Amino acid sequence: MKRVSLTRYLVEQQREHGHIPPQLRLLIEVVARACKQIAIAVNKGALGELLGSAHSENVQGEVQKKLDVISNEVLIEANEWGGHLAAMASEEMDTIHVVPNRYPQGEYLLLYDPLDGSSNIDVNVSIGTIFSVLRKVGHGRGVSEEDFLQPGKQQAAAGYCVYGPQTTLVLTLGDGVVLFTLDRETGSWVLTESDLRIPEETREFAINASNQRHWAQPVRRYIDECLAGKDGPRAKDFNMRWVGSMVADVHRILSRGGVFLYPWDSREPEKPGKLRLMYEANPMAFLVEQAGGLATDGRQRILDIVPTKLHERVSVVLGSRAEVQRVTELHQAEQ
Ligand code: AHG
Ligand code: MN
Ligand code: MN
């Protein structure tokens, strides 16, 4: 079998289609290298004294784990000197991190969730890193939070890495979705899927059912229909899966279909949802659409939402087309 590395893939894509400018290629390679470093830390676990809390809170009031903080630092250090970025934003930083003056400034903006699924770190369940790439629209050296507030449809690239039984990198540059598996012996990302497609029909849903009593009516109705199985309106039995790391749940859906929901609920009614638009929902929505699926907030396409702040939250429904359409119909019927 011909082994295609990430570098070779990017070089050949550029040669054949010419849509990967050198700064974007460097950015992807740097993020992939940082993910390798994070994978090594994740693997060490207790041996590296890397488990447990960092005894600090992020801007969203969540307690940070040691690996949240370490992964955030790894991504900053890997990315700030290369000349490909103007600034970065992360779940673990209150405000944007502008590339320091001592380094050249590039034309891209990088947003990331350095470690997704933090509650799974200490119990040795799959976790990951999610990233989104935007182009800085304005010219000149100045960069501000407003430069980041672009709808997800303007992403130049998006991807995630899963630290699980295998370490995998899933990537889109707006021309389909590809998957690389880390070969630990050679340290190389090897292309193992060149065109990921989400099956249209599915019988599997993912939702945190412990919040059921707080859900809005359309979500209750959708899950009730699934649970009614063969005898219900959907006339088929459904299975349920919930890892609790969005990155792993979405990866399963990209691999074998399904629908993922993290909807608004009445626990904190003023919040549109739990997940963050710019570095969780947008990159996943881009990947899912590029793989033939759909992603909405129950009503509108996630990629069309114009953000008003960096850490904005959103309801998320994504995955196989037919299921996302059904959830969206139920929301629209309510209006
Ligand atoms: P993070 O670890 O980056 O804060 O994200 C956790 C998210 C997401 O990965 C997952 O789907 C969801 O939180 C699970 O939350 P609950 O266990 O509160 O339902
Ligand atoms: Mn997350
Ligand atoms: Mn996180």
Side-chain angles (χ1 to χ4, degrees):
M1 181 179 95
K2 177 177 100 171
R3 277 167 67 107
V4 176
S5 67
L6 176 63
T7 304
R8 178 165 177 181
Y9 171 80
L10 294 171
V11 167
E12 289 181 349
Q13 284 292 307
Q14 169 60 19
R15 200 173 288 150
E16 282 159 34
H17 309 290
H19 64 285
I20 313 177
Q23 286 191 13
L24 183 57
R25 195 177 108 201
L26 179 60
L27 190 164
I28 302 294
E29 295 215 61
V30 168
V31 169
R33 190 164 45 73
C35 287
K36 263 194 257 182
Q37 221 175 313
I38 298 170
I40 290 167
V42 167
N43 262 244
K44 282 208 169 87
L47 298 177
E49 294 179 16
L50 296 170
L51 302 183
S53 166
H55 304 291
S56 51
E57 273 190 7
N58 66 16
V59 66
Q60 320 181 42
E62 297 161 343
V63 175
Q64 292 175 305
K65 296 286 175 84
K66 284 184 197 162
L67 273 171
D68 288 322
V69 176
I70 292 166
S71 308
N72 190 53
E73 280 163 10
V74 165
L75 281 156
I76 295 176
E77 277 163 26
N79 275 289
E80 65 179 4
W81 49 268
H84 53 286
L85 285 187
M88 299 171 237
S90 153
E91 180 189 347
E92 307 303 343
M93 298 192 286
D94 302 7
T95 52
I96 62 168
H97 177 91
V98 178
V99 165
N101 277 327
R102 61 184 181 279
Y103 302 122
Q105 219 178 61
E107 55 185 291
Y108 289 96
L109 305 171
L110 174 65
L111 295 106
Y112 53 85
D113 176 353
L115 221 284
D116 176 67
S118 305
S119 69
N120 280 328
I121 296 173
D122 295 347
V123 291
N124 197 11
V125 171
S126 293
I127 48 183
T129 298
I130 309 172
F131 65 94
S132 160
V133 182
L134 293 166
R135 224 170 266 110
K136 183 173 163 268
V137 183
H139 293 290
R141 186 145 184 124
V143 52
S144 68
E145 195 168 308
E146 277 71 62
D147 292 306
F148 283 79
L149 303 181
Q150 306 177 31
K153 62 184 170 200
Q154 281 170 225
Q155 289 170 104
Y160 63 77
C161 182
V162 177
Y163 314 114
Q166 303 121 41
T167 302
T168 51
L169 176 73
V170 173
L171 175 70
T172 185
L173 294 152
D175 185 20
V177 179
V178 287
L179 183 151
F180 298 85
T181 303
L182 182 63
D183 180 337
R184 286 185 178 273
E185 274 102 72
T186 60
S188 165
W189 291 106
V190 181
L191 183 69
T192 45
E193 271 297 337
S194 56
D195 187 21
L196 268 178
R197 305 295 301 168
I198 301 182
E200 253 188 55
E201 292 287 334
T202 176
R203 294 158 181 262
E204 208 160 64
F205 66 88
I207 191 165
N208 184 343
S210 71
N211 298 323
Q212 182 174 14
R213 68 190 186 287
H214 307 294
W215 294 338
Q217 203 49 43
V219 175
R220 278 176 200 233
R221 171 125 180 248
Y222 173 73
I223 299 297
D224 283 347
E225 286 182 357
C226 295
L227 294 175
K230 263 206 183 83
D231 307 325
R234 302 300 307 276
K236 58 182 179 182
D237 289 335
F238 278 77
N239 188 22
M240 195 197 83
R241 283 286 182 277
W242 179 255
V243 178
S245 304
M246 182 200 205
V247 76
D249 281 308
V250 171
H251 188 64
R252 183 188 59 256
I253 287 167
L254 278 166
S255 308
R256 70 173 188 211
V259 60
F260 170 93
L261 300 97
Y262 213 118
W264 169 92
D265 69 47
S266 63
R267 284 173 298 171
E268 291 181 272
E270 71 292 346
K271 276 190 196 163
K274 174 175 181 179
L275 298 174
R276 279 61 50 118
L277 173 63
M278 300 210 62
Y279 40 81
E280 290 178 318
N282 271 344
M284 292 313 201
F286 191 20
L287 288 159
V288 163
E289 284 199 3
Q290 284 294 317
L294 290 177
T296 74
D297 67 354
R299 295 188 161 81
Q300 62 170 325
R301 185 179 175 228
I302 285 178
L303 296 181
D304 285 337
I305 298 174
V306 181
T308 56
K309 56 180 189 205
L310 203 53
H311 298 288
E312 181 163 328
R313 296 181 192 251
V314 67
S315 275
V316 176
V317 182
L318 59 78
S320 297
R321 288 191 92 83
E323 297 310 313
V324 179
Q325 265 158 0
R326 180 68 192 139
V327 181
T328 310
E329 269 164 33
L330 288 169
H331 279 85
Q332 283 159 352
E334 208 205 16
Q335 282 163 351

